[in-house]
Amino acid sequence: MHRREFFSQGAAWLTATAGLQLAGCQLKPALPEAADWQALQRSFQGQLLFPANALFSRFAKAANSRFDAIQPALIARPKLAADVQLVLAFARQFQLPLVGRCGGHNYAGYSCTPGILLDFALMDQIELQGETAWVGAGAKLGDLYFQLSQQGRSIPAGSCVGVGISGLTLGGGMGMADRKYGLTCDALLEAELVTVDGAVLRCSEQQNPELFWGLRGGGGGQFGLVTRLQFRTFPTAEVLSCHAYFQFEQALPVLNLWQHWSRQLPRELWSQAAFWWTEDQRKAPVLQIRVSSLGATKELQQQWATWLRRLPAQPFEQDVVLHDYAEYMLSDCAGLEMAQCKLPHQSEQARLRRVAMAGSSDFFRGAMPKAGLDALLDAVRQRQQQGHSGGILLTLMGGAIRDLAHDDTAFAHRAADFCAQYLVSRPVGTAEKELQQADLWMGQMRRTMAPWSTGGAYLNYTDPLLSNWPQAYYADHYPRLQRLKRQYDPGSVLQFSQSIKED
Ligand SMILES: Cc1cc2nc3c(=O)[nH]c(=O)nc-3n(C[C@H](O)[C@H](O)[C@H](O)COP(=O)(O)OP(=O)(O)OC[C@H]3O[C@@H](n4cnc5c(N)ncnc54)[C@H](O)[C@@H]3O)c2cc1C
């Protein structure tokens, strides 16, 4: 960068930070001077983007457009762990807020900051060594599925290609392979972490095991910045995918049968029941039942045929499709190059769209009694009749998720049979008032379902309005996570509204 350009960009940064102080953020007076920026720039191997840079506003935004107003003062895109050390030291020296970002999908905008955004996008290397994969902290799920499946391997992870491996793994990681191969964090063998004091630690069952425990479900941005992750992989197999769609009037007996039937399915089979509805009050919500199998196609064919025979009501539509593994996992990328199969903040060639969204979750143990199902259906009906769009997804858990004991990792919901996700996803530009109304609906859903739910919530479906979030996300693991926070981030350099508190 030329000196003149640097200074003009540095000036823009200073203007931004002055705005920050006015906005009441906790910046201390010692702002960096031009010489400090130059020193950082000289040693940093990756890319530093200041507000004047043409790419700045593209990379500043996260997946959820609700947080577009939170503009970072600087985007640092590290190439090496040493870059992360440098930026952490810089942030500490000048007491600037700092957050990490991988996929930028956090529901509550926790990878947005008015300070330094450490965007791991350039650290996205994926390398398969035998049956384990080393994955850079900036890799997105689409790239992982694409690259690993070319070598006949994969890892258990989520369904959306733009989600980042770091946030997903650190918070748990659910997906269609979890009943067979465990959560994403269960497949984690090692993580390289830069702590706030600049130490680069290897974390595994053997090295720094307590920290490793906390990284498997304790959440992103809590104890340091992860730079590399090593995973156990599994051999890919064909995916048989069955769908059936039911009218809303038939939902009660179908859902009831589904929750009993699905719990006895073999672990190769994954299933989800979902209600979707639009704001069009004339169109009743639809119940979708999905079952997929990773291999075991004969088993699923038999199970599906039995299930259809036992059904009290017939679906108005159904299909059974056999997919190649990569085609199934990358279905959002159909017709796109991988660089295009990204969200705008992830690639200059991106073609996927961002949304404005709100979400929350619940966990359930065992099948819900009729009163619980009635309450759920009433809530869906009411919301739809009020003219609001939305979705509720009940995802089957169990299988390999229970192969680890409750205390083996920080993820606190292994005993649950179902995870419910409450979701409102709207186009970019939707009025914040409407989205805040959706936030309130999430809380209302949790209260409605409280008599039957565990009270837990999935950290990766972050709900910024959860009242007792330490208990809901972490249950009895919270005190242990607090000890880790005190040990590895004393003074809470890394903080956001639901970051683990030291006391
Ligand atoms: C469209 C969509 C689909 C989803 N599908 C699934 C799914 O199928 N299964 C599932 O389990 N979840 C799913 N999720 C939830 C998802 O797991 C979480 O939102 C997750 O936190 C996203 O990770 P990210 O890296 O994309 O997000 P980010 O916003 O980049 O990061 C999330 C958190 O981790 C921190 N962080 C990021 N990188 C690092 C790092 N290198 N070191 C330390 N901390 C870091 C951030 O600061 C932030 O606090 C989905 C979310 C969305 C929006």
Side-chain angles (χ1 to χ4, degrees):
M1 183 191 287
H2 296 297
R3 189 177 159 77
R4 196 154 23 117
E5 194 188 348
F6 179 78
F7 277 114
S8 70
Q9 293 180 350
W13 189 89
L14 288 176
T15 313
T17 52
L20 255 186
Q21 284 175 308
L22 289 175
C25 285
Q26 304 258 311
L27 289 189
K28 297 290 185 293
L31 280 174
E33 306 206 344
D36 303 309
W37 292 109
Q38 283 171 326
L40 179 65
Q41 181 89 359
R42 266 196 306 276
S43 318
F44 196 78
Q45 303 283 304
Q47 192 181 24
L48 291 184
L49 297 176
F50 292 87
N53 189 290
L55 290 173
F56 186 89
S57 69
R58 170 183 278 271
F59 292 142
K61 293 185 177 111
N64 189 349
S65 69
R66 292 181 74 180
F67 307 105
D68 285 359
I70 309 176
Q71 286 282 303
L74 170 74
I75 304 175
R77 307 180 97 205
K79 263 194 183 157
L80 312 161
D83 284 342
V84 178
Q85 290 173 300
L86 268 177
V87 173
L88 267 166
F90 191 85
R92 288 194 74 174
Q93 183 184 351
F94 297 103
Q95 300 189 18
L96 305 174
L98 173 144
V99 296
R101 176 181 292 171
C102 178
H105 275 59
N106 181 272
Y107 283 20
Y110 293 157
S111 60
C112 298
T113 176
I116 298 182
L117 173 61
L118 199 53
D119 174 2
F120 283 89
L122 305 180
M123 295 179 76
D124 62 348
Q125 297 75 12
I126 297 164
E127 194 190 335
L128 188 66
Q129 295 173 352
E131 295 190 352
T132 65
W134 273 106
V135 179
K140 316 296 180 288
L141 298 190
D143 293 326
L144 263 163
Y145 293 138
F146 179 72
Q147 293 187 38
L148 293 181
S149 66
Q150 285 185 331
Q151 300 165 79
R153 310 293 300 182
S154 194
I155 62 167
S159 56
C160 278
V161 289
V163 167
I165 191 62
S166 293
L168 180 90
T169 308
L170 297 171
M174 294 199 249
M176 65 85 73
D178 58 16
R179 284 172 43 78
K180 188 163 185 195
Y181 294 109
L183 301 169
T184 314
C185 69
D186 301 348
L188 185 68
L189 297 172
E190 186 173 323
E192 182 181 85
L193 180 92
V194 182
T195 58
V196 294
D197 61 3
V200 180
L201 301 181
R202 294 181 74 159
C203 309
S204 65
E205 297 278 10
Q206 292 74 37
Q207 301 182 73
N208 300 298
E210 184 65 7
L211 185 51
F212 185 58
W213 174 88
L215 294 177
R216 298 167 88 189
Q222 304 285 10
F223 313 116
L225 278 313
V226 168
T227 46
R228 291 200 312 156
L229 303 143
Q230 188 195 30
F231 293 98
R232 181 179 26 241
T233 65
F234 63 78
T236 55
E238 283 180 322
V239 175
L240 186 71
S241 158
C242 306
H243 292 88
Y245 299 87
F246 299 86
Q247 306 290 3
F248 191 67
E249 308 87 71
Q250 298 163 338
L252 178 64
V254 174
L255 193 59
N256 189 34
L257 183 67
W258 174 78
Q259 58 170 357
H260 289 284
W261 169 73
S262 64
R263 284 170 57 226
Q264 53 75 50
L265 288 174
R267 54 176 61 195
E268 288 76 15
L269 272 51
W270 171 91
S271 190
Q272 188 174 71
F275 290 99
W276 294 108
W277 64 96
T278 67
E279 59 274 34
D280 184 344
Q281 287 154 298
R282 292 162 305 175
K283 286 192 187 152
V286 167
L287 169 63
Q288 177 198 48
I289 302 283
R290 302 166 66 186
V291 192
S292 331
S293 77
L294 201 50
T297 50
K298 275 223 169 77
E299 174 78 44
L300 176 51
Q301 276 163 351
Q302 280 163 7
Q303 291 277 359
W304 188 246
T306 318
W307 146 256
L308 287 176
R309 268 199 307 276
R310 285 174 59 198
L311 273 176
Q314 282 311 298
F316 66 84
E317 194 182 317
Q318 64 137 326
D319 59 52
V320 175
V321 183
L322 184 64
H323 302 267
D324 163 71
Y325 177 83
E327 173 225 332
Y328 182 79
M329 299 311 290
L330 296 169
S331 56
D332 287 350
C333 304
L336 300 177
E337 300 290 323
M338 284 317 292
Q340 297 171 324
C341 189
K342 297 270 182 323
L343 289 158
H345 63 283
Q346 300 175 339
S347 155
E348 286 173 69
Q349 293 91 50
R351 297 268 198 89
L352 301 184
R353 292 216 182 119
R354 299 189 311 139
V355 292
M357 61 163 299
S360 191
S361 63
D362 261 322
F363 286 100
F364 298 91
R365 233 170 263 160
M368 246 185 280
K370 181 172 177 302
L373 296 178
D374 279 339
L376 184 80
L377 296 178
D378 282 350
V380 170
R381 193 182 296 110
Q382 240 182 51
R383 181 82 184 156
Q384 186 266 336
Q385 284 173 0
Q386 288 163 357
H388 300 293
S389 66
I392 297 183
L393 293 81
L394 288 165
T395 303
L396 179 67
M397 295 174 65
I401 299 173
R402 291 213 192 112
D403 287 352
L404 295 189
H406 175 72
D407 288 338
D408 284 348
T409 70
F411 183 80
H413 314 283
R414 291 187 186 279
D417 290 292
F418 301 101
C419 175
Q421 183 178 189
Y422 311 119
L423 202 61
V424 170
S425 180
R426 305 289 297 146
V428 171
T430 299
E432 181 55 24
K433 207 170 149 202
E434 184 183 331
L435 295 159
Q436 283 170 0
Q437 211 277 334
D439 289 335
L440 295 179
W441 177 64
M442 307 289 155
Q444 205 178 310
M445 277 313 302
R446 275 183 55 85
R447 281 190 296 280
T448 301
M449 300 316 293
W452 305 282
S453 69
T454 64
Y458 181 29
L459 168 69
N460 270 351
Y461 298 155
T462 313
D463 177 350
L465 297 187
L466 269 186
S467 50
N468 190 4
W469 58 265
Q471 176 64 25
Y473 293 149
Y474 302 115
D476 57 334
H477 289 161
Y478 192 62
R480 195 166 159 189
L481 290 163
Q482 287 184 293
R483 282 195 292 278
L484 278 172
K485 184 75 177 172
R486 285 195 291 272
Q487 184 178 350
Y488 289 100
D489 183 17
S492 296
V493 171
L494 301 171
Q495 58 171 289
F496 45 95
S497 64
Q498 290 180 344
S499 56
I500 292 164
K501 309 298 176 236
E502 291 179 57
D503 45 38

PDB file of all heavy atoms in Angstrom, residues 59 74 77 392 443:
ATOM      1  N   PHE A  59     -16.875  -7.144   2.764  1.00  0.00           N
ATOM      2  CA  PHE A  59     -16.396  -8.104   3.759  1.00  0.00           C
ATOM      3  C   PHE A  59     -16.821  -7.741   5.192  1.00  0.00           C
ATOM      4  O   PHE A  59     -16.715  -8.568   6.092  1.00  0.00           O
ATOM      5  CB  PHE A  59     -14.871  -8.239   3.685  1.00  0.00           C
ATOM      6  CG  PHE A  59     -14.393  -8.895   2.409  1.00  0.00           C
ATOM      7  CD1 PHE A  59     -13.243  -8.476   1.777  1.00  0.00           C
ATOM      8  CD2 PHE A  59     -15.117  -9.930   1.845  1.00  0.00           C
ATOM      9  CE1 PHE A  59     -12.805  -9.087   0.604  1.00  0.00           C
ATOM     10  CE2 PHE A  59     -14.697 -10.547   0.667  1.00  0.00           C
ATOM     11  CZ  PHE A  59     -13.531 -10.126   0.044  1.00  0.00           C
ATOM     12  N   LEU A  74     -11.618  -1.868  11.340  1.00  0.00           N
ATOM     13  CA  LEU A  74     -10.564  -2.495  10.537  1.00  0.00           C
ATOM     14  C   LEU A  74     -10.936  -3.959  10.323  1.00  0.00           C
ATOM     15  O   LEU A  74     -11.434  -4.608  11.240  1.00  0.00           O
ATOM     16  CB  LEU A  74      -9.239  -2.429  11.312  1.00  0.00           C
ATOM     17  CG  LEU A  74      -8.078  -3.245  10.746  1.00  0.00           C
ATOM     18  CD1 LEU A  74      -7.517  -2.585   9.490  1.00  0.00           C
ATOM     19  CD2 LEU A  74      -6.969  -3.410  11.784  1.00  0.00           C
ATOM     20  N   ARG A  77      -7.398  -9.781   7.830  1.00  0.00           N
ATOM     21  CA  ARG A  77      -7.595 -11.130   7.276  1.00  0.00           C
ATOM     22  C   ARG A  77      -6.257 -11.876   7.371  1.00  0.00           C
ATOM     23  O   ARG A  77      -5.402 -11.766   6.493  1.00  0.00           O
ATOM     24  CB  ARG A  77      -8.089 -11.036   5.840  1.00  0.00           C
ATOM     25  CG  ARG A  77      -9.316 -10.150   5.714  1.00  0.00           C
ATOM     26  CD  ARG A  77      -9.791 -10.073   4.281  1.00  0.00           C
ATOM     27  NE  ARG A  77     -10.865 -10.999   4.011  1.00  0.00           N
ATOM     28  CZ  ARG A  77     -11.150 -11.495   2.821  1.00  0.00           C
ATOM     29  NH1 ARG A  77     -10.394 -11.193   1.775  1.00  0.00           N
ATOM     30  NH2 ARG A  77     -12.162 -12.317   2.655  1.00  0.00           N
ATOM     31  N   ILE A 392     -40.713 -24.056  11.832  1.00  0.00           N
ATOM     32  CA  ILE A 392     -40.305 -24.786  13.041  1.00  0.00           C
ATOM     33  C   ILE A 392     -39.769 -26.130  12.564  1.00  0.00           C
ATOM     34  O   ILE A 392     -40.446 -26.855  11.836  1.00  0.00           O
ATOM     35  CB  ILE A 392     -41.484 -24.986  14.014  1.00  0.00           C
ATOM     36  CG1 ILE A 392     -41.989 -23.631  14.516  1.00  0.00           C
ATOM     37  CG2 ILE A 392     -41.070 -25.884  15.179  1.00  0.00           C
ATOM     38  CD1 ILE A 392     -43.108 -23.703  15.554  1.00  0.00           C
ATOM     39  N   GLY A 443     -39.259 -16.157  21.858  1.00  0.00           N
ATOM     40  CA  GLY A 443     -39.356 -16.281  23.319  1.00  0.00           C
ATOM     41  C   GLY A 443     -40.700 -16.894  23.702  1.00  0.00           C
ATOM     42  O   GLY A 443     -40.782 -17.744  24.600  1.00  0.00           O
TER      43      GLY A 443
END
